[in-house]
């Protein structure tokens, strides 16, 4: 399966982000957190826009960090330009995308349109939904049989996916496949195990850990991942959602 190129030499610490969803307040806080940790390379796993009130600011921020950042497309990027993906979304998501389109410059729209669906580099695969390259399939509480099929569909030892807006940890070893509960903080990776990890959502988390922006840092030197939870100015995001006419449920999901 062909994959996009990028990132250059393998960084020792890599930030993995997903589902920013037009929330530049959350993205800015995550970027500051990564800077404090010494992380200067990152991969964004799609759904950079949709639901949130500042899509143009998010795209400009991501572009400003190139080439230290690689981004793939999510289902919201595809739905923005292709009605076949748009009709699969629920009404609030479609309404949010209609507003989002009015807030994007032609250059930002072109950037979103060019994004690849999958990125592979040095034994790792990055995709929005489900490997090997789906932007729409969910990995929400997959069973053993589904995990076997998923791991058999690609060759890399490591895969990172988004779309669920929640942390996820799935693995394959000589004893079989399975999932682990994820906690905030550092978790160790084994050399003889394959991993499929979900970093949660930067801009609209749907997890039991609260409204903070979520992402993970992959430390390739120490073979560990750090699941991060970062506070941000959520009230500004909520205010802008109202001012720019987004569905009320978008704000209600942010601050539970």
């Amino acid at each position: 399966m062909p994959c996009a190129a990028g990132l250059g030499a393998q960084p020792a610490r890599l930030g993995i982000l997903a589902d920013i969803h037009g929330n530049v307040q959350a993205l800015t806080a995550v970027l500051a957190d990564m800077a404090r940790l010494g992380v200067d390379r990152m991969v964004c796993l799609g759904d950079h826009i949709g639901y949130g009130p500042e899509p143009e600011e998010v795209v400009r921020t991501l572009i400003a960090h190139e080439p230290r950042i690689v981004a793939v497309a999510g289902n919201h990027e595809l739905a923005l330009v292709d009605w076949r993906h748009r009709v699969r979304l629920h009404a609030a998501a479609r309404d949010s995308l209609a507003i989002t389109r009015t807030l994007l410059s032609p250059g930002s729209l072109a950037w979103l349109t060019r994004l690849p669906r999958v990125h592979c580099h040095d034994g790792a695969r990055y995709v929005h939904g489900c490997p090997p390259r789906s932007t729409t399939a969910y990995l929400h509480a997959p069973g053993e049989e589904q995990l076997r099929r998923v791991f058999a569909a690609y060759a890399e030892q490591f895969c990172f996916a988004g779309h669920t807006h929640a942390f996820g940890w799935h693995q394959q070893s000589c004893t079989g496949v399975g999932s682990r509960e994820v906690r905030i903080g550092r978790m160790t990776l084994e050399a003889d195990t394959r991993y499929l990890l979900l970093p949660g959502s930067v801009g609209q988390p749907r997890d039991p850990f609260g409204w903070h922006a979520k992402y993970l840092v992959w430390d390739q030197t120490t073979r560990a991942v750090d699941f991060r939870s970062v506070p941000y100015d959520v009230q500004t995001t909520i205010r802008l959602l109202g001012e720019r006419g987004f569905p009320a449920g978008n704000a209600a999901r942010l601050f539970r």
Side-chain angles (χ1 to χ4, degrees):
M1 186 69 64
C3 294
L7 278 185
Q10 184 87 324
R13 308 187 83 199
L14 185 66
I16 313 291
L17 289 65
D19 297 283
I20 301 167
H21 278 298
N23 190 339
V24 80
Q25 307 299 324
L27 175 60
T28 300
V30 164
L31 292 174
D33 190 59
M34 286 196 291
R36 286 191 293 271
L37 296 173
V39 178
D40 67 350
R41 300 276 182 133
M42 65 198 87
V43 179
C44 291
L45 302 178
D47 279 7
H48 318 295
I49 52 85
Y51 296 128
E54 297 181 272
E56 177 69 12
E57 291 81 357
V58 166
V59 174
R60 287 182 181 178
T61 299
L62 297 180
I63 292 172
H65 283 79
E66 291 179 331
R68 294 179 294 126
I69 189 170
V70 168
V72 301
N75 61 305
H76 281 249
E77 280 77 53
L78 298 182
L80 190 67
V81 298
D82 188 334
W83 68 269
R84 291 169 297 182
H85 289 274
R86 191 157 54 248
V87 296
R88 299 178 185 178
L89 301 177
H90 57 74
R94 294 196 302 270
D95 292 344
S96 297
L97 277 182
I99 299 170
T100 292
R101 195 178 183 95
T102 70
L103 298 172
L104 288 169
S105 66
S108 293
L109 182 59
W111 184 85
L112 291 166
T113 303
R114 292 193 300 267
L115 293 175
R117 296 195 186 195
V118 62
H119 171 72
C120 300
H121 183 74
D122 281 0
R125 176 174 290 260
Y126 307 90
V127 64
H128 177 65
C130 179
R133 55 179 286 117
S134 176
T135 61
T136 57
Y138 279 93
L139 282 166
H140 181 68
E144 288 188 14
E145 184 56 37
Q146 181 182 359
L147 284 177
R148 289 191 193 96
R149 293 196 302 269
V150 169
F151 277 111
Y154 65 98
E156 291 79 11
Q157 181 182 6
F158 300 98
C159 183
F160 298 88
H163 199 32
T164 66
H165 294 219
F167 291 142
W169 178 297
H170 314 294
Q171 63 187 53
Q172 181 188 52
S173 67
C174 60
T175 60
V177 298
S179 303
R180 288 182 60 184
E181 182 179 356
V182 176
R183 64 180 186 275
I184 301 294
R186 195 172 181 86
M187 299 177 72
T188 302
L189 303 169
E190 301 296 333
D192 58 353
T193 300
R194 297 177 71 206
Y195 293 96
L196 174 51
L197 303 176
L198 283 65
S201 171
V202 171
Q204 198 185 83
R206 302 170 192 167
D207 58 48
F209 302 108
W211 57 270
H212 291 184
K214 311 302 194 309
Y215 80 105
L216 68 79
V217 175
W218 180 21
D219 190 324
Q220 296 151 328
T221 301
T222 63
R223 301 191 63 83
V225 288
D226 186 2
F227 290 90
R228 308 285 297 170
S229 177
V230 183
Y232 70 95
D233 183 6
V234 68
Q235 293 300 335
T236 291
T237 301
I238 290 172
R239 174 177 59 80
L240 289 172
L241 283 167
E243 290 177 358
R244 297 182 178 180
F246 282 82
N250 295 13
R253 279 178 163 178
L254 286 179
F255 200 51
R256 303 184 304 279

